Amino acid sequence: MKNEFRTWQDSAGRLITEAARTFGETAEVHELRGILLARNYLRNNAVDPEQAIEELKLGSAADNPGRAHALNALNNLLFALGRSRESYDAAKEAYRADAFLTATDTILIRLFGTSLDLGQAAEARSWCQELHRRFPG
């Protein structure tokens, strides 16, 4: 399994490098590079998470159609690092940016969790209610 991940990671890295050469250092390229670095960090701590954070922030530029995806990945990484305030802020921005509601359930769960971490019980209750409203049952 570890070998498969390494092969996937190497292939993805080459594709991202090729995309950067072809299209330049666009927000989309930063988003993809940041997601790859974040997953690598979360899997085995082999990279500096600050590098992933920087790439994801660059990937969350307003002109990137995948902005919500970059912000969601940023939120996940910051949450794993125990940086609740930053994680909450990224999740809230991802929620606003997710026009197609592709990750709304995950984002709402993180908004709920980080609100609790920050001691904001009323805010956590509000996010929980929103989660149940959007995803009943």
Side-chain angles (χ1 to χ4, degrees), residues 93-128:
E93 199 171 338
Y95 184 67
R96 286 191 208 112
D98 193 8
F100 299 105
L101 306 177
T102 57
T104 302
D105 56 343
T106 303
I107 295 167
L108 285 169
I109 290 167
R110 289 207 195 106
L111 283 165
F112 169 74
T114 53
S115 293
L116 286 177
D117 285 352
L118 295 169
Q120 300 173 342
E123 188 86 3
R125 187 176 307 107
S126 173
W127 292 120
C128 185

Side-chain angles (χ1 to χ4, degrees), residues 45-115:
N45 297 336
V47 298
D48 178 8
E50 295 304 318
Q51 184 181 3
I53 290 167
E54 183 60 30
E55 290 290 340
L56 289 167
K57 285 181 178 179
L58 291 169
S60 68
D63 64 340
N64 180 6
R67 180 171 192 266
H69 198 83
L71 288 164
N72 193 26
L74 178 61
N75 159 262
N76 185 39
L77 178 59
L78 291 168
F79 187 78
L81 293 169
R83 292 162 60 173
S84 296
R85 169 50 56 194
E86 292 171 273
S87 176
Y88 178 82
D89 292 342
K92 203 164 185 181
E93 199 171 338
Y95 184 67
R96 286 191 208 112
D98 193 8
F100 299 105
L101 306 177
T102 57
T104 302
D105 56 343
T106 303
I107 295 167
L108 285 169
I109 290 167
R110 289 207 195 106
L111 283 165
F112 169 74
T114 53
S115 293

